[in-house]
Each structure stands twice: as C-alpha cells, then as structure tokens.
Amino acid sequence: MVEIELARNVFEENDAIAAEVRRELKKKQIGCVNLISSPGAGKTSLLEKTLQIICSRIECAVIEGDISTPIDRDRLIPYCENVVQVNTDTFGGDCHLSAFMIKNALLKLDLGRIKLLIIENVGNLICPADFDIGENAKVLLISVTEGEDKPLKYPGSFNAADIIIITKTDLLPYLDIKMENLMKNIALVNNKAKILCISSKTGEGLAEWINYLEFAAGGNCQNITAV
Amino acid sequence: MVEIELARNVFEENDAIAAEVRRELKKKQIGCVNLISSPGAGKTSLLEKTLQIICSRIECAVIEGDISTPIDRDRLIPYCENVVQVNTDTFGGDCHLSAFMIKNALLKLDLGRIKLLIIENVGNLICPADFDIGENAKVLLISVTEGEDKPLKYPGSFNAADIIIITKTDLLPYLDIKMENLMKNIALVNNKAKILCISSKTGEGLAEWINYLEFAAGGNCQNITAV
C-alpha cells in the first residue's frame, strides 16, 4: 500500500511539472512532440533526416534523452544548433524522461526563438509512455524488424500514441513480417492514431512526417487529422 | 529520501526471494538462464529454434515474461510442453520480471523432472537487469538492426550480462552497422561476457548456444569459459 501511494505521488508530482512545461510552451507558441520507441527503432536516424530538411524552414530544438553518453546529441548537432542532451544517469539512471528533466533542459534553450521542440525519449517501449513531459503529441516508432505482435504485447505505449511511425521499411524485402498483420494489431489497441511508414535510409514517407511537423510547429500537434 | 529508501526496500525484498528461488533450483540441480533484450531483438525466435533441438536431449522448461497476451507461450508450446506465461499486467503492468513472479511460476512446473529453465524476460533493455530473479546467468540479446552504439547507451544491462548474443546476423548485408564497432563498444562496457553471433533464420551460430545450454543444464551456467 505504501508503494502504491508513493507511485501515485511520483506521478502526481510529475503531472504538475508537466502542466507547467505545457503552459510555458503554449505561451511561447512552441509545438512539442515526444518520440518514444524501443532502443534502435531509428529515432535518431529519423531526426538526422528530419532536421536536415526542416531546420531551414522552422526554428527547431531537440532534447535528447539517454541513460548515458552524448552520442545522439553529437549526431544531431551538425543539422540543428539547439540540441540539449539529458543523461538520466545523473538522475539515478531513470529508464524514461520526466517532466522535471524537461523543465531543467528548457533553461538551456532560447525559447523566444523556437517554434518546434522535438524530444527523443530514452529507448524503452514501456516506461516513457507513463510519464507526461508536457508534450502536445506522443509519437511512437516501431521498426519492421521488431515483429508484427508488438502492439498487442505493449498495449499501453501503443494506445497512448497520437502518431505511430513504422520505420525501416526498406528492410521489408528481407523480413517475414506481414504489414497487414502489423496494421491490424495496431488497430486493435489504437484505432485513432495516424500511421506513417518511413524509411530514413531511402526517404520513403518522410514528406508526410515533415508536413506534420510544420503543422505542429504552431502548437497544433494534437489535431493531426487536419494535416 | 523516502523514495530512495523505498526503492532500496523493493530491491532487498526482491533479492531475498531471488535467493530463495536460486536455492530451490540448485537443490533440484536445475540450470537457469535469464534472457534480456529490447522488444523484437529475437528472444522468442531464438527459443523456437533452441527448443526444437534441445528438448529431445534435455528436460527443459520456459517461463515467458510479457506485459500482456499469451502469444509467446503459444509460439513455444509446439516445441516444449513446460511453458508458463507470466503476464505482468496482473502485477500492475511491471516493465520487468521480479523474483516473486518466478517463485509463483515455479509452482506450475514439475521441478523434479526439469534440468534447464529458460526465462524470457519482458522486452526492455533497461529495467530487467536491475532485478535478480534467481538465475545462474544473464543472457543479453542485441540485434544487428539496433545499431553499434547500444552498449555505450545502455551500459548497465550490457555490463550485467554473462553472455551477449548478437542476433539477426542474416540481415548484416542490408545494414550499415559495422560488427567490429559493435564488438569494440561491447568490450568497453563488458570485457568478460562470452559473445555469440546467431541468426535464428539461417541457424548460423546456433550450435555454440546449444552447447552452452547443455553445459548449463547441470547448473554450471556461470562458468561459461569451460564450454
């Protein structure tokens, strides 16, 4: 009972800070998306390609979440000058980003200039979905190499997503996965999310994602059907 | 401070039950390995191939950890009659297996007959490594599709592994990953683990893994250099 009570307190405290972050971003008219996936689903590769295109059109910032190392920041810095690395090992090695970490990271950005904030969460298909970090939309990435059953086995994260991006579609010819089964399983746990299919390697599907982000930059992330 | 104290109590309680599980397995001379990886790294596919070979030689049992669904148990039942599914959504949706869940699952197995227990943990490259579940060896799987930087970004799990299996090696011709970089990064965080390279699809590397499991069946899992 003490454990349940404490977990409730942790989430309540997080939610209060997330609301603060959301108010601050709204005031500055900054759209904010939170990228969630397993390790290696291709979040950083997608961001490399995304920033190459979008940074000439919109003032962007990225918060990079990892347990350890500045590897991902270093990959993105060539394409975007506003990248803040958050390493959770300085917060006890947390398996997810929390609103408190985002609030801290925002202090390192010139929010007056930014229109779009992209947060790359820690690679984990379970825990990050439980923590509101003040985003306007949760974007879940699932790579075709992970298998068609994942929506059913990780229903919490799939259900929480506003957008689901199926990544690494260039590998489909070499895999046994059936896309129609993956789509069917996604629909069973979330029939509202917008679904995009993207290969960061070939650029397939990237345009629709960029369109969405340009739309989201005004803070309209949630109303994805309008894109 | 209350949070830190409570986390310590959770781990202490878990460790005490894990020690109980370990004693029970040792008494029955059952070797036990704990498979840890990201979702979709190929744990269940590896087990399908493993059980097809090993079940005619050794009496095996499998405990399948997932948040939800009996999908993985259903995949393995054709090859092994002793498969117990643990769904953590009946324990609050935990992102890992705990010793308590294993202790409960063991009640459903005829331990007098079993020589090898394989536990497939929940797909998560972070949290499961923190929870001792009474195993003799932790086996970490990383698929070649996940990228060469993962050992550095998830040092806790990689460091805790006794064996590291690089999976889906059949996809190497279609990826940019350099195996020598992945190996170098593994060595930076863990220079003691035995490393195996396996494709469950082609069978490459499977024989060495089966040899290890046959050796481990006597409860000798940790001394992998003897294999």
Side-chain angles (χ1 to χ4, degrees):
Chain A
M1 282 305 283
V2 178
E3 277 177 48
I4 294 168
E5 187 58 41
L6 193 82
R8 194 182 297 140
N9 290 346
V10 168
F11 284 121
E12 276 175 13
E13 194 180 299
N14 182 75
D15 287 352
I17 302 174
E20 248 184 82
V21 169
R22 190 171 282 111
R23 272 195 303 274
E24 175 72 3
L25 295 174
K26 189 179 179 183
K27 200 170 74 183
K28 299 276 187 353
Q29 290 186 289
I30 300 172
C32 176
V33 294
N34 173 11
L35 270 53
I36 293 172
S37 81
S38 305
K43 297 184 294 303
T44 317
S45 295
L46 178 63
L47 287 186
E48 282 179 316
K49 293 299 170 84
T50 300
L51 296 173
Q52 284 177 51
I53 299 169
I54 208 167
C55 283
S56 60
R57 307 182 194 172
I58 299 167
E59 195 70 29
C60 292
V62 179
I63 297 175
E64 270 297 329
D66 277 300
I67 297 176
S68 199
T69 82
I71 292 174
D72 285 356
R73 182 197 59 193
D74 294 347
R75 285 176 62 183
L76 300 183
I77 276 286
Y79 313 113
C80 177
E81 59 182 318
N82 312 307
V83 184
V84 179
Q85 179 79 52
V86 175
N87 283 142
T88 67
D89 55 10
T90 61
F91 298 90
D94 276 1
C95 55
H96 58 270
L97 292 176
S98 68
F100 177 76
M101 299 176 201
I102 301 303
K103 185 183 166 184
N104 265 7
L106 290 182
L107 299 175
K108 298 177 186 165
L109 293 167
D110 179 359
L111 297 184
R113 292 174 52 213
I114 291 161
K115 288 292 143 212
L116 178 66
L117 173 63
I118 305 176
I119 302 173
E120 181 179 337
N121 220 306
V122 178
N124 181 336
L125 197 54
I126 306 173
C127 316
D130 290 336
F131 287 80
D132 182 2
I133 52 175
E135 74 276 14
N136 300 120
K138 283 186 168 66
V139 180
L140 184 140
L141 280 72
I142 167 93
S143 90
V144 293
T145 62
E146 291 175 63
E148 54 201 43
D149 57 357
K150 294 302 168 291
L152 306 179
K153 291 173 65 182
Y154 300 86
S157 294
F158 275 87
N159 184 260
D162 299 290
I163 299 189
I164 294 171
I165 303 183
I166 300 170
T167 61
K168 307 195 189 185
T169 52
D170 56 285
L171 291 175
L172 279 172
Y174 317 112
L175 302 171
D176 297 326
I177 186 173
K178 290 194 174 60
M179 281 294 269
E180 64 265 31
N181 290 346
L182 178 57
M183 294 293 193
K184 201 177 67 184
N185 289 337
I186 289 174
L188 284 171
V189 294
N190 185 338
N191 58 13
K192 286 180 284 188
K194 185 177 180 75
I195 299 175
L196 304 176
C197 297
I198 296 180
S199 163
S200 295
K201 198 165 183 174
T202 67
E204 182 208 344
L206 209 55
E208 199 177 355
W209 167 239
I210 299 289
N211 280 349
Y212 166 70
L213 288 178
E214 290 191 298
F215 173 78
N220 308 305
C221 300
Q222 279 179 319
N223 189 14
I224 50 174
T225 51
V227 181
Chain B
M1 284 303 284
V2 177
E3 276 177 48
I4 293 168
E5 188 58 40
L6 193 82
R8 194 180 297 139
N9 290 346
V10 167
F11 284 120
E12 275 175 13
E13 194 180 299
N14 182 75
D15 286 352
I17 302 175
E20 248 184 82
V21 169
R22 190 170 281 112
R23 272 196 302 275
E24 175 73 2
L25 294 174
K26 188 177 180 187
K27 201 171 72 182
K28 299 276 188 354
Q29 289 187 288
I30 300 172
C32 177
V33 295
N34 174 11
L35 270 54
I36 292 172
S37 82
S38 305
K43 296 184 293 304
T44 317
S45 295
L46 178 62
L47 287 187
E48 283 180 315
K49 292 299 170 83
T50 300
L51 296 173
Q52 283 177 49
I53 300 168
I54 208 167
C55 282
S56 61
R57 306 181 194 172
I58 298 168
E59 194 71 28
C60 291
V62 180
I63 296 175
E64 271 297 330
D66 278 299
I67 296 176
S68 198
T69 82
I71 292 174
D72 285 356
R73 181 197 59 192
D74 294 349
R75 284 176 63 183
L76 300 184
I77 277 287
Y79 313 113
C80 177
E81 60 182 318
N82 312 307
V83 184
V84 178
Q85 179 79 52
V86 175
N87 283 142
T88 67
D89 56 10
T90 62
F91 298 90
D94 277 1
C95 55
H96 58 269
L97 291 176
S98 68
F100 178 76
M101 298 177 203
I102 301 303
K103 185 183 166 185
N104 265 7
L106 290 183
L107 300 175
K108 298 177 186 164
L109 293 167
D110 179 359
L111 297 184
R113 291 174 53 214
I114 292 161
K115 287 292 143 213
L116 178 66
L117 172 63
I118 305 175
I119 301 173
E120 181 179 337
N121 220 307
V122 177
N124 181 336
L125 198 53
I126 307 172
C127 316
D130 290 336
F131 287 81
D132 182 2
I133 51 175
E135 74 275 15
N136 301 120
K138 283 186 168 64
V139 179
L140 185 141
L141 279 73
I142 168 92
S143 90
V144 292
T145 63
E146 291 175 63
E148 55 200 42
D149 57 357
K150 295 303 168 291
L152 305 179
K153 290 174 65 181
Y154 302 85
S157 293
F158 275 86
N159 183 260
D162 300 290
I163 298 189
I164 295 172
I165 303 182
I166 300 170
T167 61
K168 307 194 189 186
T169 53
D170 55 286
L171 292 174
L172 279 170
Y174 317 112
L175 302 171
D176 297 326
I177 185 173
K178 289 193 174 59
M179 280 294 270
E180 63 265 32
N181 290 345
L182 178 57
M183 294 292 192
K184 200 177 67 185
N185 289 338
I186 289 173
L188 284 171
V189 294
N190 184 338
N191 58 13
K192 285 179 286 185
K194 185 179 182 73
I195 299 176
L196 304 175
C197 297
I198 297 181
S199 162
S200 297
K201 199 166 183 173
T202 67
E204 182 207 346
L206 209 55
E208 200 178 355
W209 166 238
I210 299 288
N211 280 350
Y212 167 71
L213 288 178
E214 290 191 297
F215 172 77
N220 308 305
C221 300
Q222 279 180 319
N223 189 14
I224 49 173
T225 50
V227 181

